C-alpha cells in the first residue's frame, strides 16, 4: 500500500495532474512491482501565499510524500526515487531541481484498510522487494 500526496502551486497541479499521476504510478510499478490497479494519490493545490519555497526553485516546484508499508529494501527505495525524478522530468518537463520526495514507512499494524488492520490482510503483491 502506498498513499501519495503531491503538493504544488494550483497552476502547476492543474497543468500537469494527469501526466504527473501516470509518471508517479509508473515509478511505483517499475520500482516496487506495484499492481497497476492500486493507485492512491491526492493532489494538494496551494496558492503562492500558502506555498513558500526557496528562490532557486521554479513555479513547478513539487513536494511528493509517499506513505507506505515498511519492508522495501534500500535499493528498491533508491530505485523509486530515481525513477520518480526521471519519469517526471521526461513526461512533464519538470526538472529534478524542482522535485522533493519523502518516503514515510509504517508497520502494517498501523494501517486500517477495508475494515481490517493491514497486517491481517492478504495482499496480491509483495511488500518485501
Amino acid at each position: 500500500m502506498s498513499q501519495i500526496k503531491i503538493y504544488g502551486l494550483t497552476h502547476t497541479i492543474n497543468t500537469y495532474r494527469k501526466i504527473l499521476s501516470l509518471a508517479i504510478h509508473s515509478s511505483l510499478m517499475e520500482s516496487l512491482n506495484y499492481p497497476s490497479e492500486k493507485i492512491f494519490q491526492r493532489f494538494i493545490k496551494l496558492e503562492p501565499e500558502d506555498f513558500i519555497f526557496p528562490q532557486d526553485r521554479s513555479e513547478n516546484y513539487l513536494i511528493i510524500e509517499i506513505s507506505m508499508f515498511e519492508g522495501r529494501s534500500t535499493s528498491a527505495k533508491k530505485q523509486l526515487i530515481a525513477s520518480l525524478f526521471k519519469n517526471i522530468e521526461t513526461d512533464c518537463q519538470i526538472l529534478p531541481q524542482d522535485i522533493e520526495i519523502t518516503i514515510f514507512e509504517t508497520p502494517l499494524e498501523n494501517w486500517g484498510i477495508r475494515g481490517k488492520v493491514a497486517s491481517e490482510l492478504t495482499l496480491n503483491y509483495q511488500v518485501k522487494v
Side-chain angles (χ1 to χ4, degrees):
M1 172 67 123
S2 294
Q3 293 278 347
I4 316 295
K5 290 187 231 175
I6 304 98
Y7 299 87
L9 290 172
T10 299
H11 171 73
T12 303
I13 298 289
N14 288 344
T15 301
Y16 296 106
R17 181 182 17 247
K18 288 181 184 177
I19 192 105
L20 186 56
S21 175
L22 292 171
I24 291 169
H25 196 60
S26 292
S27 292
L28 286 167
M29 292 188 301
E30 293 165 14
S31 304
L32 304 181
N33 299 323
Y34 208 66
S36 61
E37 71 278 5
K38 299 286 185 186
I39 185 166
F40 303 95
Q41 300 174 350
R42 286 165 284 176
F43 287 85
I44 297 129
K45 300 181 211 177
L46 299 163
E47 295 305 315
E49 62 270 15
D50 297 321
F51 195 38
I52 300 165
F53 50 84
Q55 291 182 351
D56 65 345
R57 306 308 197 279
S58 81
E59 68 176 18
N60 290 330
Y61 177 66
L62 299 170
I63 297 174
I64 300 170
E65 294 180 351
I66 304 168
S67 297
M68 63 184 185
F69 297 155
E70 68 181 358
R72 274 70 177 211
S73 67
T74 298
S75 70
K77 290 180 279 190
K78 286 182 176 181
Q79 181 181 349
L80 173 59
I81 290 169
S83 178
L84 286 163
F85 285 132
K86 179 184 76 63
N87 286 351
I88 293 170
E89 182 175 20
T90 300
D91 298 349
C92 304
Q93 287 72 54
I94 296 175
L95 300 174
Q97 167 73 14
D98 284 326
I99 303 166
E100 293 188 18
I101 302 161
T102 306
I103 296 173
F104 300 94
E105 294 182 286
T106 54
L108 275 80
E109 63 267 15
N110 290 359
W111 290 72
I113 302 169
R114 298 188 310 266
K116 294 185 179 182
V117 174
S119 58
E120 298 172 359
L121 291 173
T122 301
L123 301 173
N124 65 344
Y125 60 94
Q126 288 289 339
V127 173
K128 300 215 183 260
V129 293

